[in-house]
mmCIF file of all heavy atoms in Angstrom:
data_model
loop_
_atom_site.group_PDB
_atom_site.id
_atom_site.type_symbol
_atom_site.label_atom_id
_atom_site.label_comp_id
_atom_site.label_asym_id
_atom_site.label_seq_id
_atom_site.Cartn_x
_atom_site.Cartn_y
_atom_site.Cartn_z
ATOM 1 N N GLY A 1 0.837 -1.157 -0.017
ATOM 2 C CA GLY A 1 -0.003 -0.008 0.002
ATOM 3 C C GLY A 1 0.845 1.278 0.005
ATOM 4 O O GLY A 1 1.969 1.279 -0.513
ATOM 5 N N TYR A 2 0.339 2.325 0.578
ATOM 6 C CA TYR A 2 1.058 3.596 0.604
ATOM 7 C C TYR A 2 1.849 3.734 1.889
ATOM 8 O O TYR A 2 1.444 3.240 2.949
ATOM 9 C CB TYR A 2 0.088 4.786 0.542
ATOM 10 C CG TYR A 2 -0.733 4.860 -0.708
ATOM 11 C CD1 TYR A 2 -2.112 4.524 -0.680
ATOM 12 C CD2 TYR A 2 -0.168 5.266 -1.903
ATOM 13 C CE1 TYR A 2 -2.864 4.620 -1.850
ATOM 14 C CE2 TYR A 2 -0.927 5.326 -3.035
ATOM 15 C CZ TYR A 2 -2.290 5.018 -3.002
ATOM 16 O OH TYR A 2 -3.052 5.116 -4.180
ATOM 17 N N TRP A 3 3.002 4.387 1.782
ATOM 18 C CA TRP A 3 3.777 4.745 2.957
ATOM 19 C C TRP A 3 3.733 6.280 3.064
ATOM 20 O O TRP A 3 4.445 6.949 2.296
ATOM 21 C CB TRP A 3 5.202 4.237 2.894
ATOM 22 C CG TRP A 3 6.007 4.571 4.141
ATOM 23 C CD1 TRP A 3 5.673 4.256 5.446
ATOM 24 C CD2 TRP A 3 7.279 5.251 4.209
ATOM 25 N NE1 TRP A 3 6.653 4.696 6.271
ATOM 26 C CE2 TRP A 3 7.647 5.296 5.561
ATOM 27 C CE3 TRP A 3 8.127 5.798 3.252
ATOM 28 C CZ2 TRP A 3 8.809 5.873 5.999
ATOM 29 C CZ3 TRP A 3 9.301 6.394 3.638
ATOM 30 C CH2 TRP A 3 9.667 6.437 5.036
ATOM 31 N N PRO A 4 2.925 6.843 3.999
ATOM 32 C CA PRO A 4 2.955 8.268 4.154
ATOM 33 C C PRO A 4 4.302 8.673 4.779
ATOM 34 O O PRO A 4 4.649 8.145 5.831
ATOM 35 C CB PRO A 4 1.794 8.546 5.142
ATOM 36 C CG PRO A 4 0.905 7.308 5.024
ATOM 37 C CD PRO A 4 1.860 6.195 4.779
ATOM 38 N N ILE A 5 5.039 9.481 4.109
ATOM 39 C CA ILE A 5 6.396 9.818 4.530
ATOM 40 C C ILE A 5 6.379 10.718 5.770
ATOM 41 O O ILE A 5 5.743 11.781 5.762
ATOM 42 C CB ILE A 5 7.173 10.525 3.397
ATOM 43 C CG1 ILE A 5 7.283 9.500 2.225
ATOM 44 C CG2 ILE A 5 8.552 10.902 3.808
ATOM 45 C CD1 ILE A 5 7.922 10.078 0.970
ATOM 46 N N PRO A 6 7.104 10.325 6.852
ATOM 47 C CA PRO A 6 7.088 11.157 8.044
ATOM 48 C C PRO A 6 7.773 12.523 7.722
ATOM 49 O O PRO A 6 8.678 12.635 6.920
ATOM 50 C CB PRO A 6 7.972 10.372 9.033
ATOM 51 C CG PRO A 6 7.951 8.992 8.520
ATOM 52 C CD PRO A 6 7.828 9.076 7.004
ATOM 53 N N SER A 7 7.276 13.568 8.381
ATOM 54 C CA SER A 7 7.824 14.917 8.127
ATOM 55 C C SER A 7 9.263 15.078 8.493
ATOM 56 O O SER A 7 9.948 16.033 8.008
ATOM 57 C CB SER A 7 6.971 15.941 8.858
ATOM 58 O OG SER A 7 7.056 15.788 10.231
ATOM 59 N N ASP A 8 9.784 14.220 9.354
ATOM 60 C CA ASP A 8 11.220 14.268 9.727
ATOM 61 C C ASP A 8 12.119 13.326 8.968
ATOM 62 O O ASP A 8 13.266 13.127 9.362
ATOM 63 C CB ASP A 8 11.401 14.109 11.229
ATOM 64 C CG ASP A 8 10.904 12.711 11.705
ATOM 65 O OD1 ASP A 8 10.298 11.992 10.901
ATOM 66 O OD2 ASP A 8 11.146 12.385 12.860
ATOM 67 N N TRP A 9 11.598 12.713 7.907
ATOM 68 C CA TRP A 9 12.439 11.788 7.132
ATOM 69 C C TRP A 9 13.603 12.505 6.543
ATOM 70 O O TRP A 9 13.531 13.662 6.078
ATOM 71 C CB TRP A 9 11.559 11.198 6.004
ATOM 72 C CG TRP A 9 12.197 9.960 5.385
ATOM 73 C CD1 TRP A 9 12.893 8.985 5.987
ATOM 74 C CD2 TRP A 9 12.119 9.591 3.995
ATOM 75 N NE1 TRP A 9 13.231 7.979 5.061
ATOM 76 C CE2 TRP A 9 12.796 8.342 3.792
ATOM 77 C CE3 TRP A 9 11.554 10.222 2.893
ATOM 78 C CZ2 TRP A 9 12.938 7.736 2.596
ATOM 79 C CZ3 TRP A 9 11.646 9.603 1.617
ATOM 80 C CH2 TRP A 9 12.345 8.370 1.509
ATOM 81 N N PHE A 10 14.727 11.815 6.514
ATOM 82 C CA PHE A 10 16.015 12.477 6.121
ATOM 83 C C PHE A 10 15.957 13.013 4.647
ATOM 84 O O PHE A 10 16.653 13.977 4.356
ATOM 85 C CB PHE A 10 17.198 11.495 6.259
ATOM 86 C CG PHE A 10 17.319 10.497 5.095
ATOM 87 C CD1 PHE A 10 18.171 10.790 4.017
ATOM 88 C CD2 PHE A 10 16.630 9.301 5.096
ATOM 89 C CE1 PHE A 10 18.244 9.891 2.971
ATOM 90 C CE2 PHE A 10 16.703 8.423 4.070
ATOM 91 C CZ PHE A 10 17.549 8.698 2.999
ATOM 92 N N TRP A 11 15.112 12.407 3.817
ATOM 93 C CA TRP A 11 15.117 12.855 2.430
ATOM 94 C C TRP A 11 14.680 14.309 2.265
ATOM 95 O O TRP A 11 15.118 14.947 1.330
ATOM 96 C CB TRP A 11 14.235 11.896 1.599
ATOM 97 C CG TRP A 11 14.355 12.176 0.129
ATOM 98 C CD1 TRP A 11 13.518 12.915 -0.652
ATOM 99 C CD2 TRP A 11 15.415 11.769 -0.766
ATOM 100 N NE1 TRP A 11 13.956 12.961 -1.954
ATOM 101 C CE2 TRP A 11 15.163 12.249 -2.047
ATOM 102 C CE3 TRP A 11 16.583 10.999 -0.552
ATOM 103 C CZ2 TRP A 11 16.001 12.044 -3.121
ATOM 104 C CZ3 TRP A 11 17.404 10.753 -1.628
ATOM 105 C CH2 TRP A 11 17.110 11.278 -2.901
ATOM 106 N N PHE A 12 13.857 14.794 3.133
ATOM 107 C CA PHE A 12 13.456 16.171 3.044
ATOM 108 C C PHE A 12 14.652 17.109 3.253
ATOM 109 O O PHE A 12 14.811 18.096 2.595
ATOM 110 C CB PHE A 12 12.344 16.524 4.068
ATOM 111 C CG PHE A 12 11.048 15.906 3.732
ATOM 112 C CD1 PHE A 12 10.434 15.005 4.623
ATOM 113 C CD2 PHE A 12 10.368 16.180 2.557
ATOM 114 C CE1 PHE A 12 9.202 14.451 4.363
ATOM 115 C CE2 PHE A 12 9.137 15.566 2.280
ATOM 116 C CZ PHE A 12 8.571 14.724 3.172
ATOM 117 N N GLN A 13 15.509 16.735 4.169
ATOM 118 C CA GLN A 13 16.771 17.511 4.375
ATOM 119 C C GLN A 13 17.642 17.393 3.098
ATOM 120 O O GLN A 13 18.234 18.407 2.699
ATOM 121 C CB GLN A 13 17.515 17.009 5.595
ATOM 122 C CG GLN A 13 18.813 17.832 5.885
ATOM 123 C CD GLN A 13 19.604 17.236 6.989
ATOM 124 O OE1 GLN A 13 19.975 16.105 6.955
ATOM 125 N NE2 GLN A 13 19.863 18.078 8.041
ATOM 126 N N ALA A 14 17.677 16.215 2.546
ATOM 127 C CA ALA A 14 18.520 16.047 1.314
ATOM 128 C C ALA A 14 18.002 16.937 0.198
ATOM 129 O O ALA A 14 18.771 17.541 -0.557
ATOM 130 C CB ALA A 14 18.489 14.576 0.873
ATOM 131 N N GLN A 15 16.666 17.024 0.036
ATOM 132 C CA GLN A 15 16.068 17.869 -0.991
ATOM 133 C C GLN A 15 16.275 19.354 -0.665
ATOM 134 O O GLN A 15 16.546 20.166 -1.577
ATOM 135 C CB GLN A 15 14.587 17.496 -1.227
ATOM 136 C CG GLN A 15 14.435 16.151 -1.837
ATOM 137 C CD GLN A 15 12.988 15.690 -1.956
ATOM 138 O OE1 GLN A 15 12.634 15.193 -2.985
ATOM 139 N NE2 GLN A 15 12.224 15.857 -0.900
ATOM 140 N N ASP A 16 16.188 19.732 0.575
ATOM 141 C CA ASP A 16 16.408 21.112 0.932
ATOM 142 C C ASP A 16 17.841 21.493 0.642
ATOM 143 O O ASP A 16 18.142 22.661 0.201
ATOM 144 C CB ASP A 16 16.152 21.318 2.439
ATOM 145 C CG ASP A 16 14.657 21.303 2.810
ATOM 146 O OD1 ASP A 16 13.840 21.265 1.852
ATOM 147 O OD2 ASP A 16 14.375 21.307 3.972
ATOM 148 N N ARG A 17 18.784 20.577 0.832
ATOM 149 C CA ARG A 17 20.185 20.891 0.498
ATOM 150 C C ARG A 17 20.428 21.062 -0.986
ATOM 151 O O ARG A 17 21.369 21.691 -1.398
ATOM 152 C CB ARG A 17 21.051 19.760 1.101
ATOM 153 C CG ARG A 17 21.211 19.851 2.580
ATOM 154 C CD ARG A 17 22.006 18.672 3.134
ATOM 155 N NE ARG A 17 22.429 18.921 4.534
ATOM 156 C CZ ARG A 17 23.067 18.058 5.291
ATOM 157 N NH1 ARG A 17 23.404 16.816 4.790
ATOM 158 N NH2 ARG A 17 23.427 18.370 6.541
ATOM 159 N N ALA A 18 19.542 20.464 -1.800
ATOM 160 C CA ALA A 18 19.621 20.676 -3.260
ATOM 161 C C ALA A 18 19.090 22.041 -3.666
ATOM 162 O O ALA A 18 19.272 22.482 -4.791
ATOM 163 C CB ALA A 18 18.918 19.576 -3.980
ATOM 164 N N MET A 19 18.368 22.678 -2.792
ATOM 165 C CA MET A 19 17.831 24.024 -2.956
ATOM 166 C C MET A 19 17.107 24.231 -4.271
ATOM 167 O O MET A 19 16.101 23.665 -4.569
ATOM 168 C CB MET A 19 18.927 25.029 -2.688
ATOM 169 C CG MET A 19 19.438 25.042 -1.274
ATOM 170 S SD MET A 19 20.503 26.453 -0.883
ATOM 171 C CE MET A 19 21.947 26.136 -1.842
ATOM 172 N N GLY A 20 17.707 25.036 -5.130
ATOM 173 C CA GLY A 20 16.994 25.450 -6.360
ATOM 174 C C GLY A 20 16.831 24.396 -7.409
ATOM 175 O O GLY A 20 16.213 24.616 -8.445
ATOM 176 N N ALA A 21 17.244 23.146 -7.118
ATOM 177 C CA ALA A 21 16.997 22.013 -8.060
ATOM 178 C C ALA A 21 15.618 21.443 -7.808
ATOM 179 O O ALA A 21 14.951 21.047 -8.762
ATOM 180 C CB ALA A 21 18.095 20.952 -7.885
ATOM 181 N N VAL A 22 15.178 21.380 -6.506
ATOM 182 C CA VAL A 22 13.968 20.590 -6.230
ATOM 183 C C VAL A 22 13.133 21.023 -5.047
ATOM 184 O O VAL A 22 12.074 20.468 -4.738
ATOM 185 C CB VAL A 22 14.317 19.106 -5.946
ATOM 186 C CG1 VAL A 22 14.953 18.419 -7.159
ATOM 187 C CG2 VAL A 22 15.290 18.970 -4.755
ATOM 188 N N ALA A 23 13.493 22.081 -4.312
ATOM 189 C CA ALA A 23 13.005 22.252 -2.934
ATOM 190 C C ALA A 23 11.759 23.113 -2.767
ATOM 191 O O ALA A 23 11.241 23.187 -1.695
ATOM 192 C CB ALA A 23 14.094 22.901 -2.066
ATOM 193 N N VAL A 24 11.224 23.728 -3.828
ATOM 194 C CA VAL A 24 10.036 24.591 -3.657
ATOM 195 C C VAL A 24 8.794 23.775 -3.318
ATOM 196 O O VAL A 24 8.560 22.771 -3.914
ATOM 197 C CB VAL A 24 9.860 25.488 -4.875
ATOM 198 C CG1 VAL A 24 8.490 26.182 -4.854
ATOM 199 C CG2 VAL A 24 10.917 26.532 -4.948
ATOM 200 N N ARG A 25 7.991 24.346 -2.386
ATOM 201 C CA ARG A 25 6.659 23.782 -2.095
ATOM 202 C C ARG A 25 5.634 24.891 -2.487
ATOM 203 O O ARG A 25 5.871 26.076 -2.238
ATOM 204 C CB ARG A 25 6.494 23.452 -0.634
ATOM 205 C CG ARG A 25 7.188 22.214 -0.133
ATOM 206 C CD ARG A 25 8.656 22.374 0.087
ATOM 207 N NE ARG A 25 9.213 21.280 0.932
ATOM 208 C CZ ARG A 25 10.454 21.097 1.192
ATOM 209 N NH1 ARG A 25 11.367 21.937 0.672
ATOM 210 N NH2 ARG A 25 10.873 20.094 1.976
ATOM 211 N N SER A 26 4.479 24.478 -3.080
ATOM 212 C CA SER A 26 3.534 25.457 -3.455
ATOM 213 C C SER A 26 2.119 24.834 -3.544
ATOM 214 O O SER A 26 2.008 23.642 -3.334
ATOM 215 C CB SER A 26 3.922 26.114 -4.804
ATOM 216 O OG SER A 26 3.140 27.254 -5.052
ATOM 217 N N SER A 27 1.131 25.646 -3.843
ATOM 218 C CA SER A 27 -0.226 25.213 -3.915
ATOM 219 C C SER A 27 -0.829 25.577 -5.281
ATOM 220 O O SER A 27 -0.262 26.348 -6.036
ATOM 221 C CB SER A 27 -1.101 25.866 -2.828
ATOM 222 O OG SER A 27 -1.160 27.280 -3.095
ATOM 223 N N ALA A 28 -2.008 25.061 -5.578
ATOM 224 C CA ALA A 28 -2.679 25.386 -6.841
ATOM 225 C C ALA A 28 -2.935 26.890 -6.929
ATOM 226 O O ALA A 28 -2.682 27.521 -7.985
ATOM 227 C CB ALA A 28 -3.950 24.606 -7.002
ATOM 228 N N ASN A 29 -3.472 27.476 -5.880
ATOM 229 C CA ASN A 29 -3.726 28.945 -5.918
ATOM 230 C C ASN A 29 -2.458 29.750 -6.101
ATOM 231 O O ASN A 29 -2.428 30.708 -6.892
ATOM 232 C CB ASN A 29 -4.456 29.337 -4.637
ATOM 233 C CG ASN A 29 -5.961 29.129 -4.734
ATOM 234 O OD1 ASN A 29 -6.535 29.301 -5.779
ATOM 235 N ND2 ASN A 29 -6.575 28.730 -3.608
ATOM 236 N N ASP A 30 -1.411 29.392 -5.403
ATOM 237 C CA ASP A 30 -0.142 30.142 -5.602
ATOM 238 C C ASP A 30 0.413 29.901 -6.993
ATOM 239 O O ASP A 30 0.950 30.867 -7.647
ATOM 240 C CB ASP A 30 0.901 29.663 -4.559
ATOM 241 C CG ASP A 30 0.767 30.384 -3.268
ATOM 242 O OD1 ASP A 30 -0.244 31.128 -3.055
ATOM 243 O OD2 ASP A 30 1.691 30.263 -2.395
ATOM 244 N N LEU A 31 0.335 28.712 -7.515
ATOM 245 C CA LEU A 31 0.830 28.480 -8.878
ATOM 246 C C LEU A 31 0.004 29.197 -9.924
ATOM 247 O O LEU A 31 0.533 29.439 -11.058
ATOM 248 C CB LEU A 31 0.892 26.982 -9.148
ATOM 249 C CG LEU A 31 1.979 26.199 -8.446
ATOM 250 C CD1 LEU A 31 1.929 24.712 -8.791
ATOM 251 C CD2 LEU A 31 3.355 26.755 -8.689
#
């Protein structure tokens, strides 16, 4: 089934460290 990813999973830090490659979060209204 699905694995809801915990908010403290290390991969979020890995993506934040990539910064302008992958790190933006947004919504439909903002987009």
